[in-house]
Amino acid sequence: MTGTFGDHLVTGAADAGSRTALVFEDRTWTYAELDLAVRRVIARLDKSGVRRGDRVVMQGAARPEALITLFAVTRMGAVLVPLHPQVTGGELGVVCEETAPAAVVADEGFPAGPGLRLTWQELHPEDAGPEAVPQDLPSGSDIAVIAFTSGTSGRPKGVALTHDNLRWSMAGGLARMPFGDNDTALISTPLAHVAVLGGLPQCVWARRGTVILAPRFEPGLFIDLVRDHRVTCAFAVPAMSALLARHPRFRGGDLDTLRWILSGGSPAQTATREQFRARGIGVVDSYGLTETAAGVTYSAPDDPAGSTGSPVPEAEVTVVDAAGTPAPVGVPGEIWVRGPSVAAEYRTAAGPVPVTDDEGWFRTGDRGRFDTAGRLEVVGRLKDTIITGGENVDPAEVENALADIPGVVEVAVSGAPDPVWGELVTAFLVTDSGTPTLDDLRAHLDGRLARHKWPRRLCVVPALPRGATGKLQRARLTTLLDD
């Protein structure tokens, strides 16, 4: 594959310039207008002293200026470092220490960082300004984005994604997602999410479709935008999908144009998936990580629950046992990934650190298994496996089995330390009516799961700990337990 990230926007401006590319609230950009906005930001960055190879930290708020800045920084050969809007001063300090940015682009309330600071207003003034087209374009092997992983503990790691990584990720999505003609996609997550950088919106733009950008996620607003813009596909993490399925308007006519949603971060739980299917909306589960520049597997809308589908073209995905030997079909092991969308290195202040082993495999730390049709099922993180009385329990399996208990809004499962059993399977529930008991949970699981997988402890909480992208922060669950 040749070219650089963002080429699809340039060609879109050339061959479909008058088509609508982006909508945000009451503003609309055609492909030609979006490309012009990118060129104008390139001119302002250049005038401010940003040069090829410089790192530019950007607050990844859900706003059009951030998308335009993404394309401008990468097109001029600089490196974008997108951060979630809720980043703290301490977290920003770590990022700046690791990347030594030449500039920080953010709103007025964003924590201060070193180097040049540009506000959205300064980089995107209302009056038209000069435009620029870089003469020295980056190569495919140049770093386009340093995306910091949203881990639940420890120091965050900056994944160096090249132009080639992002373009191969987009190619994989185009090959597997069920796009139609003239799609309109809704994006309502922070723009620092890797599924935005290398996933659904990039694919829609490559097909000359329209992206609707929501300023935030709220179920009612999501439904309004689908209705008002006749949205055909959308990206949602499982927590968002679950909230949508419980909204009073979910079964009304306002979602009639929505054909499918892409679920990322973890597979949609069975109960939520079935609610969408009954509503006539397909759920495409994907498996991918920051290190793989978004999805490396995508399910078909009619695949069985739990499946994240088969690998995209050019990607190799294997499941191995503790010795690194391929595991038999149906047997869980660690998921390894190899292919052109996989990053080569983490960028740190001390220098690059390899992402892959000597044979190019990225050892994900995730547990999964293949079914007889070659579809991947993700069953959890290796480090999240609960060992109770010498038996292994995958939290995701228990969560999925508990998700359809009446009155339960959200569920998470973790291991609580115990001097006798090692760990106790512990369920954390968010409810909207009533308070289930342990006996209720066990009655619900009777015949569904082996008894050693049943929760021995229950904690009803007002909310589950989640990161900026909606990912469950499992390591924080045990802090919710009463003494």
Side-chain angles (χ1 to χ4, degrees):
M1 177 174 289
T2 59
T4 57
F5 174 74
D7 281 357
H8 54 301
L9 187 63
V10 176
T11 56
D15 61 32
S18 62
R19 297 189 65 170
T20 299
L22 178 64
V23 178
F24 179 78
E25 296 182 333
D26 59 351
R27 296 182 63 187
T28 297
W29 288 260
T30 65
Y31 277 85
E33 290 168 341
L34 192 58
D35 186 63
L36 176 60
V38 170
R39 297 199 305 269
R40 285 174 171 162
V41 170
I42 290 173
R44 293 180 188 117
L45 288 168
D46 180 76
K47 184 177 180 180
S48 299
V50 175
R51 297 292 179 261
R52 178 171 177 164
D54 284 347
R55 273 75 62 202
V56 177
V57 168
M58 183 189 76
Q59 178 188 16
R63 56 190 304 162
E65 294 92 341
L67 282 172
I68 293 166
T69 301
L70 160 66
F71 286 114
V73 170
T74 55
R75 189 184 300 184
M76 68 187 296
V79 179
L80 189 80
V81 186
L83 299 181
H84 293 290
Q86 303 95 324
V87 70
T88 66
E91 292 167 329
L92 177 62
V94 171
V95 169
C96 290
E97 181 181 333
E98 300 286 19
T99 62
V104 175
V105 180
D107 61 31
E108 294 285 356
F110 197 66
L116 175 67
R117 183 179 179 88
L118 297 168
T119 65
W120 298 116
Q121 292 72 24
E122 291 168 332
L123 199 57
H124 302 262
E126 293 185 2
D127 59 305
E131 56 186 272
V133 177
Q135 300 301 312
D136 185 19
L137 295 175
S139 68
S141 60
D142 286 341
I143 298 172
V145 173
I146 297 177
F148 277 78
T149 55
S150 54
T152 57
S153 62
R155 190 178 178 89
K157 294 182 292 186
V159 181
L161 298 171
T162 66
H163 289 263
D164 283 344
N165 291 151
L166 293 168
R167 282 171 57 80
W168 277 111
S169 177
M170 182 177 71
L174 285 167
R176 287 295 162 83
M177 285 190 270
F179 292 108
D181 295 329
N182 303 318
D183 275 304
T184 297
L186 174 59
I187 303 298
S188 52
T189 57
L191 300 184
H193 200 295
V194 72
V196 175
L197 301 173
L200 182 61
Q202 308 303 336
C203 294
V204 169
W205 280 321
R207 294 178 60 92
R208 310 300 184 254
T210 301
V211 171
I212 311 299
L213 180 63
R216 62 195 175 279
F217 173 74
E218 292 174 1
L221 175 61
F222 185 103
I223 294 170
D224 286 343
L225 292 172
V226 171
R227 177 198 62 201
D228 295 345
H229 298 283
R230 302 188 63 79
V231 167
T232 61
C233 56
F235 173 69
V237 299
M240 294 163 58
S241 300
L243 289 170
L244 284 168
R246 290 191 296 273
H247 196 276
R249 293 166 56 198
F250 179 73
R251 291 171 178 80
D254 291 340
L255 293 175
D256 283 353
T257 62
L258 186 61
R259 294 189 295 106
W260 56 278
I261 64 165
L262 172 64
S263 180
S266 61
Q269 292 182 334
T270 300
T272 300
R273 187 185 182 99
E274 292 307 313
Q275 288 176 294
F276 272 81
R277 280 185 170 179
R279 179 64 184 76
I281 302 169
V283 177
V284 176
D285 278 312
S286 65
Y287 174 69
L289 306 95
T290 304
E291 288 88 346
T292 64
V296 290
T297 71
Y298 292 92
S299 71
D302 58 351
D303 276 352
S307 168
T308 64
S310 54
V312 301
E314 308 300 331
E316 297 177 72
V317 181
T318 188
V319 172
V320 302
D321 60 21
T325 303
V329 169
V331 176
E334 184 178 10
I335 302 170
W336 290 6
V337 181
R338 181 167 64 183
S341 74
V342 179
E345 61 188 32
Y346 300 105
R347 299 292 290 190
T348 72
V353 176
V355 168
T356 61
D357 63 19
D358 292 341
E359 295 182 349
W361 289 107
F362 168 47
R363 306 181 182 193
T364 68
D366 289 329
R367 279 170 54 84
R369 56 183 165 231
F370 279 107
D371 65 14
T372 55
R375 295 171 299 215
L376 180 69
E377 178 185 356
V378 181
V379 298
R381 293 284 293 171
L382 289 174
K383 66 180 181 181
D384 293 335
T385 299
I386 302 167
I387 303 177
T388 179
E391 299 284 352
N392 289 352
V393 177
D394 287 310
E397 182 182 16
V398 186
E399 290 165 357
N400 200 42
L402 291 173
D404 58 347
I405 295 180
V408 171
V409 176
E410 291 187 276
V411 57
V413 172
S414 184
D418 183 80
V420 176
W421 295 94
E423 291 180 291
L424 293 181
V425 179
T426 304
F428 299 82
L429 303 182
V430 179
T431 63
D432 60 6
S433 62
T435 302
T437 66
L438 267 178
D439 286 341
D440 293 331
L441 268 59
R442 291 166 178 169
H444 184 79
L445 295 175
D446 193 11
R448 294 188 179 200
L449 293 180
R451 287 177 177 266
H452 73 272
K453 300 177 182 179
W454 293 5
R456 291 172 175 258
R457 191 169 182 181
L458 170 62
C459 184
V460 177
V461 296
L464 298 178
R466 295 189 180 276
T469 63
K471 183 181 293 185
L472 176 68
Q473 295 183 315
R474 199 177 297 276
R476 291 175 52 196
L477 285 172
T478 53
T479 66
L480 305 177
L481 290 170
D482 297 327
D483 294 333

